[in-house]
Amino acid sequence: MILADYSSEHPIFIDANIFLDYTLPNTEFGGFVSDFLERVELQDIAAITTPAVLNEVSYILLLQRGMTILKTENKDTVRIKIKANGHFSHLCYDAVDTFNEFICGLDGLKLIPVQPEDYLLASDLGRAYNLLPIDALHLSAMRRAHIRNIATRDRDFERVDGIVVWSP
């Protein structure tokens, strides 16, 4: 399904790649994602995500900022320097702070917690649908919250029964 066509009273779960397409930005999908997130901000769409998704985005933004500053593609170099150099770490975390400010301004976005039972169920879901652990954790939280729609470019979710995938 096409994300631009999403119009439902039911909430939609937002996966990490949607936020990343907006914040990095992605030239192919950024415009579609920007329009979608504007609809979330205006509360035309009820959107849900978890701190696990936001953490996933933050980690990637942190590394991207470090790679840009160091002019490298080597993520290990960035990780090492973040741990060793407070000034560099602060510079990298500026990207996370900017993202957090953006998230706080999305009035139509609700954060739901990841519960211990989500973690335990994720293993079963990962096996059942051949998902990586983080995606299985997202699916588990969605199931607990009775969310059947997901905004993502991750085609792995298309294998999941009872989930409608909406992509830019």
Side-chain angles (χ1 to χ4, degrees), residues 38-134:
E38 183 176 333
R39 291 172 59 208
V40 171
E41 182 179 354
L42 296 172
Q43 300 181 31
D44 292 339
I45 295 173
I48 293 178
T49 199
T50 65
V53 168
L54 301 181
N55 185 64
E56 196 177 348
V57 173
S58 295
Y59 180 68
I60 292 168
L61 293 175
L62 185 78
L63 291 180
Q64 282 296 130
R65 176 62 61 92
M67 290 187 309
T68 299
I69 293 168
L70 296 177
K71 297 181 174 117
T72 183
E73 294 293 318
N74 189 325
K75 294 175 185 172
D76 287 335
T77 300
V78 173
R79 282 190 279 269
I80 290 166
K81 186 145 183 165
I82 286 171
K83 293 175 186 180
N85 184 313
H87 177 69
F88 179 72
S89 176
H90 283 278
L91 292 174
C92 294
Y93 266 96
D94 286 345
V96 175
D97 293 341
T98 300
F99 175 65
N100 288 340
E101 288 173 20
F102 169 72
I103 290 299
C104 289
L106 281 177
D107 291 333
L109 180 67
K110 178 181 174 187
L111 285 177
I112 61 170
V114 174
Q115 301 290 344
E117 60 267 21
D118 297 331
Y119 173 76
L120 297 173
L121 177 59
S123 191
D124 293 336
L125 292 172
R127 278 189 193 95
Y129 296 108
N130 302 329
L131 297 173
L132 295 175
I134 192 67

